[in-house]
Amino acid sequence: MKTDANVVPLNKAAAEQSPTSPVGRLPVALIQVRDKAAQQLKLSLQSLFDNADDTLFEMADRATSNAEQNAFFEAMRDLRLKRKSIERGFLQKVFEAFATLNQYEIGKPQPTLDTVSFDSLSLVQNDDLEETVAMDSMVARVISRDGVALGHLSTRLNAVISRKLDDKSNPLGPHLLCEYFLDACSGLGVEIKVKLIILKLFEKYVLGSCDNLYAEANQVLVNVGVLPELKSAPPRRQSHSTNAMAAQANAEGGIPLLAGADEGVQEVFGVLQELLAEVRGTAMPRRANANDALPISTNDLMRLLSHIQQRAPAQVAVDDFDLRPQLEQLLARASAKTGKTRVVGEVDEDVINLVSMLFEFILDDRTLPDSLKALIARLQIPMLKVAVLDKTFFSRGSHPARRLLNEIASAALGWVDRDDVQRDSLYQRIEQVVQRLLNDFVDDPAIFSELLADFMAFTGDERRRSELLEQRTRDAEEGSAKAELARREVERALNERLLGKTLPEVVVRLLREAWSKVLMLTYLKHGVSSPEWQAALQTMDDLVWSVEPHEEPEDRQRLLQLVPSLLKALREGMSSAAFDPFSTSEFFSQLEVLHVQAFQRFKRPMPEQVGDAAVVEEGGEHLLDVPLLDSEPEQATGEPVMVEVVEEIVLLAPGQSRPQEPEALLDEDDDAVQQVDNLRVGSWVEFQEDEEHKLRCKLAAIIKPTGKYVFVNRTGMKVLEKTRTGLAVEFRRNSIRLLDDALLFDRALESVIGNLRRLKNA
């Protein structure tokens, strides 16, 4: 009999592996069983891989982290690249197993997972153990469901071969099929979680059809007279077998609905058709067809669309991109050649109208940057072709083509027009996707899954980089906010103690320039309720008191006791704040003069007078020598320069040249204020900077202590900072607008349905 050319070499290779086999040839009946089984297994594997992308996409949608999502995308890419090698490896194992059926076993067989001892099993890694448990469960379910048919097949095989088989060593048994598949998938670099999902797909699409596999194999053997008295139950009937679905797809020139698709898929498209039919002839012109008009087939329509697609110009104005006139021209030429009027079928015409209306919305959407609309407009023909092939395009949110369009629009949300767009990585990647579809997409929608996985991997890398920079921006702003709060608290403390007082100029300058930094550092490190903060305030109070005029004897005693600890606290504080040592020395020199003069104002000698001077010591260091004379000392430098603090002290942030102007207060009920309060972190907005330039940015953080709204671009870099009032003013001027970040295709479809319903009711 004629066998598949692709599998003959495998059989030959298997036979060549055992040239010394005493019985190397298989009976004709077993060759027929092998070939039928290989063909069915090949089709089942194709179903597995065809549905793997959708399954892994759905898992990626439900992923709880970027790492988990990327693992599924990498698995999709890896599975797609190694699909052919897995299919070949699996089928080769099947052929090798059949080739050894008529060979005597020489030597001790290798232990399988069922014969491995508990000691060796303890060495199995957790991942391998999970894999083993999953495989055992799959095998058990097949045995429970199709055990009788498998047992009859093993019995019939034993009747025609020299070896003795049981269900575990049967080359078509679930145990060996699982081992063949795991061995073929050994090159996949996927995590155990993904591998278990692939095993589940293997169970669904390959092991799930074992009843048909065993039924056909048994029937082949029964037809040649091998134990016809064994009666097996008929296989389970399926509403859509793989062959039937493939035949339906070929007959209709399209692709069938995916297994497990929503039952309402066709109903959704039917509703859209009804809406179109109700407005046709009123809001939508009714096409006047000749009585002998002949609708073209879907396959012919696909060829015409491919013709337009291949000849689409590289640069097309958005307003001029309408494929319907081009399609009418091609149909007119076809009609002239055949002598019969050729038109598009009603269903296909509805699809064309729907896709055209979708793209009219998309290309009018203000959320899409103008520079990218021309690129996205070129996707209209590929999207139309996939919609003609697969009506789930309109109803299934996880459809790869639909998701690709949504992902491109989402990535473009923060894109800013540039003079040199060709140097922008996002623009280049979108252009590559568009060009690949125009060049390579004919009628296999799998290309959309491939491009979607690649594009999401690219945007995932960009998103991780931007999120990292965005987090750094938030951290920096939060740190800046803490510093701003510290400045305000230090300003309040200084103004409470200095405002309205007349003090030596050097003391005011010391507190404002030097001690304010000590207070700032203390606030940031320890907080406003800490003992350290209270001690820093007390030092400031003591300094101010020490330079004020005093007359009472107890004040003189207190000053004498206060000066050593005061000077020590000042020196330690300024040192901790890393204040300039030279300026510190100057401050202390002038402060010494002030304290000398303060002591000289007292008319009576100090109790601690020793000779004609009192010496205040600490640790052997002379901090202050005060001559106790009633008259002015000869070295006196005169009265200090005094200043009255009449204006509030304002501390400037680093890099700030002048205090910020106070903003006008707006009513809390103001609509603009309400718009600001409705902003959420992650919202994209567009600022109209001038007549020509627009700035797109995302709200990255709302710093509540300072009331700042921080905006970043799509790379995560800070580009703008506004206050609540400042944003409200922008809303009043209509110079800021929110960008709708909902899925583009979904918004377009909602708009189309809404418009059709309004036209129907008009």
Side-chain angles (χ1 to χ4, degrees), residues 176-191:
L176 286 182
L177 289 179
C178 287
E179 287 191 353
Y180 301 157
F181 185 70
L182 286 174
D183 186 70
C185 294
S186 59
L188 287 177
V190 297
E191 301 175 355

Side-chain angles (χ1 to χ4, degrees), residues 352-401:
I352 293 173
N353 288 329
L354 285 173
V355 173
S356 296
M357 287 187 284
L358 287 171
F359 270 83
E360 284 175 7
F361 172 88
I362 289 171
L363 299 179
D364 286 339
D365 186 26
R366 295 179 63 194
T367 298
L368 277 179
D370 293 336
S371 299
L372 291 177
K373 285 183 178 179
L375 267 181
I376 295 176
R378 301 177 68 196
L379 291 174
Q380 184 171 354
I381 296 178
M383 292 296 170
L384 172 57
K385 289 170 68 177
V386 78
V388 168
L389 290 170
D390 184 4
K391 304 306 185 292
T392 65
F393 176 76
F394 296 104
S395 57
R396 186 160 59 95
S398 60
H399 194 288

